[in-house]
Amino acid sequence: MSNNCTKESLLLYAVTDRAWLNGRTLYEQVEEALKGGATFIQLREKTLDAETFLQEAVEIQNLCKKYNVPFVVNDNVDIAVKMNADGVHVGQSDMEAGDVRAKIGASKILGVSAQTVEQAVLAEARGADYLGVGAVFPTGSKDDADDVSHETLKAICEAVNIPVIAIGGISKGNVLELKGTGICGIAVISAIFAQTDIEASTNELKKLTEEMVNGKR
């Protein structure tokens, strides 16, 4: 694979959310997550105007480079291309994976959300580098999130050759329940960014995720 998307880099995938800034900047929060051991950062913005989003994305991408961690933009393919992000993550309702791949080029990371084996296999065929599958637990952060059973998660992992990460309602309290599903990591929002001590929470969650991934045999 020509980009820096590896199973190891997908271990602890942090998705930003400005809901929990509490007077801090997103940049500060992302840096705390990186210090705590986050291995991948996705910038997810639903409300910022394009200019502010672009500026923020460039700053956070530079921060990720400092920590040698991949940086992708959620949904906004145009901004990802404009700022030369490491890649982009799209959902099923966003631009079709094959079109995104054509737009970002062969060397960029393409992540795709999937809820079924059929969606997963199609995304891989259309050029996805990894899949985000969920919600694997009930979640408050995405109203339309479809629940995915752990059986389906396992079936998706078995059906594709690209790395799969689980997303949705994962916390340090339930991450070990995902042992044996075949995933190579987890994507979290509130389990990192809603915590008072982001660095310590990230560090603890990373250790548990390593235990979950390595304990699957």
Side-chain angles (χ1 to χ4, degrees):
M1 202 174 285
S2 53
N3 53 48
N4 53 352
C5 177
T6 61
K7 283 189 169 182
E8 293 69 32
S9 71
L10 289 162
L11 180 74
L12 185 52
Y13 183 116
V15 181
T16 67
D17 190 327
R18 45 185 54 248
W20 297 291
L21 290 182
N22 296 322
R24 288 182 291 181
T25 65
L26 198 65
Y27 184 96
E28 286 167 343
Q29 289 202 328
V30 171
E31 180 146 45
E32 283 182 50
L34 289 165
K35 280 179 180 164
T39 59
F40 207 108
I41 300 290
Q42 180 195 120
L43 182 64
R44 185 167 182 259
E45 288 292 1
K46 298 294 184 190
T47 52
L48 287 189
D49 63 88
E51 201 177 321
T52 315
F53 186 0
L54 181 62
Q55 191 185 339
E56 178 183 77
V58 169
E59 286 171 2
I60 290 177
Q61 160 142 297
N62 288 334
L63 175 64
C64 290
K65 276 188 180 140
K66 215 168 82 180
Y67 285 85
N68 204 20
V69 162
F71 170 84
V72 298
V73 172
N74 178 271
D75 291 355
N76 199 319
V77 181
D78 292 335
I79 279 188
V81 170
K82 194 172 181 180
M83 62 165 294
N84 198 25
D86 295 325
V88 71
H89 185 95
V90 292
Q92 287 292 322
S93 58
D94 304 312
M95 195 191 286
E96 194 275 324
D99 297 336
V100 179
R101 174 54 80 200
K103 205 165 177 180
I104 63 174
S107 64
K108 297 294 182 186
I109 299 170
L110 173 58
V112 178
S113 300
Q115 276 87 32
T116 65
V117 169
E118 191 183 23
Q119 287 174 356
V121 170
L122 186 63
E124 180 179 32
R126 295 281 161 82
D129 288 308
Y130 73 89
L131 300 172
V133 177
V136 294
F137 295 109
T139 166
S141 57
K142 210 168 179 202
D143 310 326
D144 59 349
D146 295 318
D147 288 348
V148 173
S149 71
H150 295 182
E151 288 73 30
T152 300
L153 179 61
K154 196 172 180 182
I156 288 173
C157 290
E158 286 166 1
V160 296
N161 295 308
I162 52 176
V164 176
I165 54 174
I167 189 165
I170 303 169
S171 67
K172 57 188 180 196
N174 61 21
V175 65
L176 291 175
E177 291 174 36
L178 297 168
K179 204 178 270 194
T181 54
I183 56 172
C184 67
I186 59 167
V188 291
I189 305 175
S190 59
I192 287 180
F193 293 111
Q195 309 307 308
T196 325
D197 188 334
I198 291 175
E199 188 179 336
S201 300
T202 306
N203 192 270
E204 191 181 350
L205 189 58
K206 186 178 186 180
K207 285 178 183 151
L208 287 165
T209 307
E210 282 169 341
E211 189 185 327
M212 178 270 295
V213 170
N214 297 330
K216 65 174 186 244
R217 292 281 170 260

